[in-house]
Amino acid sequence: MQMSGKLFIIFFNFILLFCKAEYKTLRNVLFIVVDDLRPALGVYGDPNAYTPNIDRLASNSILFTHAYAQQALCGPSRNSFLTSRRPDTLHLYDFDGYWRENVGNFTTLPQYFKEHGYITYSVGKIFHNGSCSNWTDDYPYSWSQKPFHPSSQQYMNAPVCPDKFGHRKNLVCPVHVEFQPEQTLPDLQSLEEAKQFLRQQKNSINPYFLGVGFHKPHEPLKFPKNYLDFHPIENITIDYNTNKPYGLPTVAWNPWSDIRRRDDIADLNIEFPYGKVPMDWTKKIVQSYNAAVTYIDHLIGELLDEVDDNTIVAFIGDHGWSLGEHGEWSKFSNFDVATRVPFILRVPKRKPRVIKTPVELVDVFPTLVDLAKLSPTIPKCDTESPENLCTEGESLVKLISNEEFISTKFAFSQYPRPTEDPSFKPSSDKPNLKDIKFMGYTMVNHDYRYTEWVEFNNTSFLPNWDHLVGVELYNHEFDSTENINLANKPEMENVRKQLSEILRNQNDRTK
C-alpha cells in the first residue's frame, strides 16, 4: 500500500508536469477595450493627442489604420464583436434584448477561450451591462468568475463636476480625485483589479484571457484635472470642417442629444437640431476629450507593465466619437469619425507592421482564436442557419502574415433611425427597436464611403431596398473627411451602381 501511494504521487506529478507543459504552449491574451475611443492617438497622427504608452505598444505591434465598428453605439457594437455577428443577426440596435434568448445561443470570444482551458475574467466594461448581456455580462457563459465593475461607476451621471455654479452634471468635467465620491474614479479601480488578477495568474498553470474595459473617454469627460496640463487650450487644433456636409440627407443627421442634456452644454442654448457649438467650446470639449484619453493612456501603461512579452495584446475602441466634424458630436452616425476605431494587435514574435486594408471588429474573434492556435478555427456563418460557433467576419492572420497580401475588402456598418428628419423624441440618436423605421447601411474602402438609407421592418429585421430615403457617396481620394455628398452627381452614377450592388449583396438577408 505504501508503494502504491508513492507510485500514485509519482503519477500525479507526471500528469501535473504534462499539464503545465501543455498549457505553457497556450499564450495569455489581454483584451483592452476603450469606450468611445476614436483614433485620437499619437500613432494615428492626431495633432491633439498625447499617448506615449499606447504609441509604444503600437511600435511593437500590428497597427490597423482603418478598422471599423459595425454600429456606433456601445451595446450593439460590443455584442457584435464579442459574438462576431453583425447587428442584423443579433437583432440588437439599442440596449435591450439578449441574443441567447432572442436569436441564438451564439458562442462569444471569451467563452471560446474558457472552453479551451483559459481562465477568463472581465474587468470594467467589456460587455455593455444591462439586458443586452442578461444583466450579468454574459456570466457564467463567458467568464470563469463574476465580472468586476468599479463601485464608483454608479456616480457616472451624478452632479460631481465642479464649476462656478457648484457641482453639476457637466460634459466637461476635470476633477480632483480626492474630492470625488469614494475618493476614486472607475478606471482607477478597474486598473487595480486588473493588476491584482495578473499578479495572481503568474503562478497559475492555466492561461488567461483578461478583458479590461476602460470607461473614459465616454461622456461625461471626467478625468483627473492634472491631465489638462498635457493639452493647453492654446495648442488645440481644429483643422477640419465643422459645417453640415453638402447634400447630406436629413435622415443621416445625428442631433447629439446626449451631450445637449449635460448642464454646461444646455447653458449654451444651441438650437435643435442643426445649431453649432461655439468655437471656444469646441476647443474646450476637444481639450477635455484628449485629456481623458491621456488619462487612460497612463493607466494602460501601468497595465502593460504587468504582462510579459509572450502575451497577445489586442487593443480596440468600441466605436468612434465625433468632435465637431460636420457640426456633429458624439457617436450615432455612419460617418468615418463615428465608425472608425483604433485597433492595435501585439503578437509575440511577429514583426510590427502597419496595415491600411479596411478591417472590421467582427474580425477580432476569429483572429485571436487563430493567433492563440486554438482548434477548431472559427468557420464562416451560413446566413440561412448560423451555427452557435461561427463568424460573420474573417480571420486577419493571412493579412498579418503576408506582407505582399493585398485585400480589396470593404468594411460594413449600419445605424438605425426612427424618422426621416432629426427628432428628440423618439430619439434619432438612440431609437428603441419599436421606433426604428429606417436603417442606414454603409460600406467603406480606401476610395469611397457609400451609404443607403432604406425603410426597415423592426419585426422581420429586413430592409426594403425599394424604398430609399437617402443616399451618400464620398470620394476619399479628395474628400477623406466626408464633406461633399456626390450621390446625386450624374458623373458618379456608374460608381454608385457598382457600390450599391456590393452593399445590397452584403446586407440582403432574404437570400
Side-chain angles (χ1 to χ4, degrees), residues 182-193:
E182 302 184 29
Q183 297 181 311
T184 189
L185 294 173
D187 291 321
L188 295 174
Q189 290 182 287
S190 291
L191 172 65
E192 290 309 310
E193 179 69 18

Side-chain angles (χ1 to χ4, degrees), residues 20 57 60 64 79 129 170 173-174 184 190 237 301 310 379 412 441:
K20 284 185 177 180
L57 170 67
N60 296 307
F64 296 91
N79 279 8
N129 195 26
N170 290 345
C173 188
T184 189
S190 291
T237 301
N310 201 40
F412 297 89
Y441 291 98

Side-chain angles (χ1 to χ4, degrees), residues 93 441 455-464 508-510:
Y93 317 97
Y441 291 98
E455 189 178 69
F456 186 78
N457 188 311
N458 60 29
T459 55
S460 69
F461 304 96
L462 294 174
N464 178 4
D508 188 355
R509 310 187 74 81
T510 63

Side-chain angles (χ1 to χ4, degrees), residues 2 13 23 86-87 105 120 130 142 144 146 150 156 162 221 254 281 351 363 403 412 414 435-436 444 469:
Q2 189 176 7
N13 286 334
Y23 279 128
R86 299 181 188 278
N105 193 28
T120 61
S142 289
S144 304
K146 285 187 177 180
M156 171 182 174
L221 300 172
N254 75 286
W281 268 92
K351 293 190 301 182
D363 300 333
E403 295 188 11
F412 297 89
Q414 62 188 102
D435 295 321
I436 295 172
V444 63
V469 296

